[in-house]
Amino acid sequence: MGFFSKLKEGLTKTRDNIVSGIDSVFSGFSSIDDDFYDELEETLIMGDIGVVATEEILDDLKNKVKENKIKNPADCKQLLIDSIKEKMNLGENAYEFENRQSIVMLIGVNGVGKTTSVGKLAGLLKAQNKKVIMAAADTFRAAAIEQLTEWSNRTGADIIAQSEGSDPAAVIYDSIAACKARKADVLLCDTAGRLQNKKNLMEELRKIDRVIEREYSDAYRENLIVLDATTGQNALSQLREFNDVTNITGIILTKMDGTAKGGIAVAIQAEFGIPVKYIGVGEKVEDLQKFDSDTFVNALFDVDNGSDED
Ligand SMILES: Nc1nc2c(ncn2[C@@H]2O[C@H](COP(=O)(O)OP(=O)(O)OP(=O)(O)O)[C@@H](O)[C@H]2O)c(=O)[nH]1
Ligand SMILES: [Mg+2]
């Protein structure tokens, strides 16, 4: 199955959750009035689109309705789709790190898919003939290092690891040395999701930051937070916490296969202005792709995507 089909299938529950509700609003009203907008608002919020995004989308829709003198609720659907697409457009430099000598940190709470995403990203970059090194900076448990070693075998990306319990900043230090010696393009860093509290997390990330500043200050920095879509609104509070302690430059949204809460992608982007850069729809190396607002919203609304249908 191709990525679009998988995404579309993965978003089935989300679609049922949001789109069927929207469709019934569009068909249940004969005129565009306050009740119509209220009903639409409730449906979007129930679909995990979030309060902030919903308000912005509705303001935009109201303007478009006025401008185009639209009278029929059914004619609003396409305007709504367009408005969500615009909202989710990435900035131009979203993937700049791929073309630079860069260091990419993957952070996030326990079990969201950090290690898996490091492996999948390594696969994507290897396919572009990049020289990739993975840093096993989750030293909390031996299994994490083994898990990343498997991804190294699978993708052919190098791995730098120390033993369980060692200092994550020391692993980063070694990895930077390896990057310089081997002239690597991208350093992908796995991190631990089990830090007990915000203070520990802050200290660990600061220490890593200091090592990078000292040893690799010319590297392009990318800090990606990994969020599990199935956690819905909880993902927003995780992002808030991490954003307080470090400069998050993008989001990897995992487990978009089979969740009813895929609308969270829209909420996150609107609320924080931080782009969703990748989405995961499964456990295999090919199940991570760059986020594309057209593809995503088309899959969400079941609009045919001629270019990538399979
Ligand atoms: N269905 C699905 N499963 C995923 C996806 N991404 C990751 N997983 C699974 O989620 C589980 C946790 O993934 P990990 O990569 O180990 O998560 P982690 O954030 O590194 O976890 P810790 O190291 O324990 O903090 C694994 O079983 C993965 O296979 C996805 O996009 N879809
Ligand atoms: Mg892990």
Side-chain angles (χ1 to χ4, degrees):
M1 217 195 288
F3 188 79
F4 184 72
S5 311
K6 222 166 185 174
L7 178 62
K8 207 160 101 176
E9 188 183 290
L11 287 173
T12 302
K13 286 188 196 155
T14 301
R15 190 158 49 240
D16 290 349
N17 191 12
I18 303 177
V19 179
S20 53
I22 287 175
D23 279 343
S24 67
V25 177
F26 287 138
S27 59
F29 282 82
S30 55
S31 66
I32 300 173
D33 52 18
D34 286 349
D35 286 346
F36 165 76
Y37 284 125
D38 284 349
E39 194 79 21
L40 201 53
E41 179 176 11
E42 198 182 317
T43 310
L44 290 172
I45 290 173
M46 295 294 285
D48 275 301
I49 301 275
V51 178
V52 176
T54 298
E55 268 170 27
E56 290 177 9
I57 289 166
L58 284 182
D59 283 348
D60 195 43
L61 179 66
K62 285 174 190 172
N63 284 334
K64 283 179 174 150
V65 164
K66 233 180 239 166
E67 263 170 41
N68 300 299
K69 301 193 169 57
I70 291 182
K71 297 275 179 286
N72 185 357
D75 296 335
C76 288
K77 185 169 175 180
Q78 191 56 46
L79 296 178
L80 186 76
I81 291 176
D82 292 345
S83 154
I84 296 177
K85 279 184 185 173
E86 281 161 27
K87 189 125 280 350
M88 303 210 66
N89 242 326
L90 299 172
E92 292 214 331
N93 298 323
Y95 303 102
E96 179 65 13
F97 77 92
E98 290 184 343
N99 308 314
R100 303 274 286 270
Q101 209 162 44
S102 56
I103 175 161
V104 184
M105 302 277 304
L106 274 77
I107 56 179
V109 304
N110 185 354
V112 287
K114 294 178 295 298
T115 308
T116 310
S117 298
V118 167
K120 292 170 176 173
L121 265 179
L124 279 180
L125 291 163
K126 286 294 282 183
Q128 299 176 43
N129 290 320
K130 302 284 180 194
K131 174 101 183 128
V132 182
I133 297 181
M134 303 189 293
D138 177 359
T139 58
F140 194 82
R141 58 199 171 97
I145 300 168
E146 283 161 24
Q147 195 187 351
L148 203 63
T149 304
E150 273 171 38
W151 279 104
S152 167
N153 296 335
R154 213 171 282 154
T155 60
D158 292 359
I159 178 172
I160 302 294
Q162 293 182 3
S163 52
E164 182 188 346
S166 56
D167 181 355
V171 177
I172 301 291
Y173 181 92
D174 279 0
S175 305
I176 290 172
C179 278
K180 290 177 180 169
R182 301 175 199 177
K183 299 196 172 22
D185 298 305
V186 182
L187 175 61
L188 298 172
C189 310
D190 189 24
T191 62
R194 282 156 208 269
L195 292 164
Q196 303 307 323
N197 59 47
K198 203 161 161 175
K199 190 163 157 276
N200 288 355
L201 173 71
M202 209 162 0
E203 271 166 18
E204 179 164 321
L205 291 175
R206 277 217 191 104
K207 196 166 171 193
I208 289 174
D209 261 349
R210 278 199 299 273
V211 170
I212 299 171
E213 280 306 314
R214 203 174 57 220
E215 304 297 328
Y216 210 29
S217 57
D218 50 347
Y220 187 88
R221 299 285 306 270
E222 186 76 37
N223 293 328
L224 301 176
I225 187 169
V226 183
L227 299 171
D228 173 343
T230 61
T231 62
Q233 297 298 317
N234 216 334
L236 289 172
S237 48
Q238 289 167 21
L239 176 52
R240 199 167 290 120
E241 292 273 307
F242 277 93
N243 204 29
D244 280 348
V245 300
T246 189
N247 174 35
I248 307 282
T249 57
I251 297 157
I252 298 180
L253 203 54
T254 61
K255 310 188 194 181
M256 288 293 270
D257 44 320
T259 176
K261 296 175 174 168
I264 200 71
V266 184
I268 290 175
Q269 204 143 307
E271 195 145 321
F272 292 89
I274 299 173
V276 174
K277 294 194 179 179
Y278 293 91
I279 43 179
V281 294
E283 308 190 72
K284 301 227 166 61
V285 66
E286 67 272 17
D287 294 335
L288 185 83
Q289 294 271 325
K290 283 180 183 167
F291 180 83
D292 174 77
S293 60
D294 266 0
T295 307
F296 177 79
V297 180
N298 285 347
L300 187 57
F301 283 90
D302 206 5
V303 178
D304 252 352
N305 189 337
S307 59
D308 173 12
E309 189 58 283
D310 46 6

